[in-house]
């Protein structure tokens, strides 16, 4: 439902196929649900994909900061929310959240989007007609997201490879962004994934991955970070070229 | 909601992340939604996973026959239904359907399940307490599903390989069955998938695929079948050993 002004919330029940082996929502599905909320807001405001396509372009994500207090469990009812917070000439800043029905925030995501001209495949000034309906605040500068600490060439990494599949492509004809999270996290040991829970992630998309690409997902060993957490650095390469990079922060499970 | 006797239906809106590049529900997600309905029925009857685990076992799918009139589209509201149709000593026969809100059936799935003892990993007689709550009909013989026509050793195949990922495992600690469909269909050319729509599929599960397995998905070239359709034969191998096989029937898109 459309809330005041620039906000939107919808209820969702977490299904078993959105969950990991421990029954918690996966990170990839968290992003799918966030994007589902913003897509529903756009449809409600009649500025959905079809309308945006008529303008000759499309929204493209550049980066996310993801904060997780805890992941909802299989069967849980949650509220998926989003706010078209602010924008300037080239960048739109949007927030997403997942709350339990008592109103406690379980996860919060900040994202920065740009608008791409579909003909030239170049970033263009955000057209007025695709941003006005959201009642987002025009600002000089949008908030800066965390810039992921890059993997240095001398750092040891482990890696896995993934062929991009036909069903990785969504109705936008792009690789669904959620798959980047599966590739990045699956490169970690199963033992690490079983014993750690993600609390924060910063991801920056550099180039688009396409159908048939052979993706290399690299990850550094976990190093100590603040407050008893460990941090991993991730990158997605195609033909040795950087396509996305991220940092993840983890708590060891009690 | 629990319908008469042995039936259950729930409403669901098709999301963008459940759809293929053309905006139609994927086959893998169709199976996820079917299993979601039967899981919800089981929870409603208080014979869900936890209760079944207490008996020391679990339900295992052996085969599905899938009939698709047409796949629902992104954003569409559908009814997911299931019926615990009949059972005998060792086999339980269950039906699933997807209907539009006007009551037209879009897809129908027949499935045969067995009960596995978790300690011995062997099939056992279905315990009374896990089947009674469904009001399923006790019968001598359950309906037979189609037995897929096997790929012969002399037949030409094309193949792709997939490493089983951590997030392919669901809360049952098994590879989610939906992934078999992604592996099987992704082995086909993107051009074929773009120009054809699945109308029928018979799949038989032989052995369990596990985390870390390297799956080989083989498919034969499409051959002509009845009523202007084409048919493809599929198999899933791990270490050259057959783990699942299927036949798919396709209509060429108009």
């Amino acid at each position: 439902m459309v809330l005041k002004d620039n906000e939107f919330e919808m209820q969702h029940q977490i299904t078993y196929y959105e969950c990991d082996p421990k029954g918690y929502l996966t990170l990839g599905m968290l992003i799918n649900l966030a994007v589902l909320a913003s897509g529903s807001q756009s449809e409600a405001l009649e500025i959905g994909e079809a309308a945006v396509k008529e303008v000759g372009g499309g929204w493209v994500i550049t980066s996310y900061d993801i904060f997780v207090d805890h992941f909802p469990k299989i069967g849980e009812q949650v509220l998926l929310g989003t706010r078209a917070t602010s924008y300037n000439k080239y960048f739109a800043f949007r927030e997403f959240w997942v709350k339990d029905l008592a109103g406690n925030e379980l996860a919060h995501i900040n994202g920065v989007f740009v608008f791409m001209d579909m003909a030239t495949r170049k970033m263009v000034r955000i057209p007025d007609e695709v941003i006005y309906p959201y009642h987002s605040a025009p600002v000089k500068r949008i908030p800066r997201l965390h810039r992921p600490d890059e993997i240095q060439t001398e750092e040891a990494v482990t890696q896995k490879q993934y062929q991009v599949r036909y069903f990785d492509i969504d109705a936008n004809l792009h690789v669904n962004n959620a798959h980047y999270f599966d590739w990045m996290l699956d490169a970690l040991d199963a033992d690490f994934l079983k014993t750690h829970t993600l609390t924060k992630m910063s991801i920056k998309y550099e180039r688009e991955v396409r159908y048939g690409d052979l993706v290399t997902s690299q990850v550094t060993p976990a190093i100590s970070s603040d407050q008893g957490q460990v941090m991993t650095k991730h990158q997605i390469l195609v033909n040795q070229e950087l396509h996305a990079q991220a940092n993840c922060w983890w708590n060891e499970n009690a």
Side-chain angles (χ1 to χ4, degrees), chain A residues 67-72 76 78 98-100 104-108:
Chain A
F67 306 88
V68 181
D69 189 75
H70 64 272
F71 286 96
E76 197 171 336
V78 294
V98 179
K99 284 181 183 165
D100 63 24
N104 303 304
E105 193 171 87
L106 309 180
H108 197 97

Side-chain angles (χ1 to χ4, degrees), chain A residues 193-208:
Chain A
L193 291 168
K194 271 180 212 158
T195 51
H196 291 78
T197 300
L198 186 127
T199 60
K200 200 177 121 191
M201 181 173 188
S202 294
I203 181 170
K204 193 162 177 294
Y205 296 92
E206 307 278 358
R207 280 178 193 82
E208 208 182 326

Side-chain angles (χ1 to χ4, degrees), chain A residues 3 94 128 156 249:
Chain A
L3 300 177
R94 179 181 277 279
D128 291 344
W249 287 264

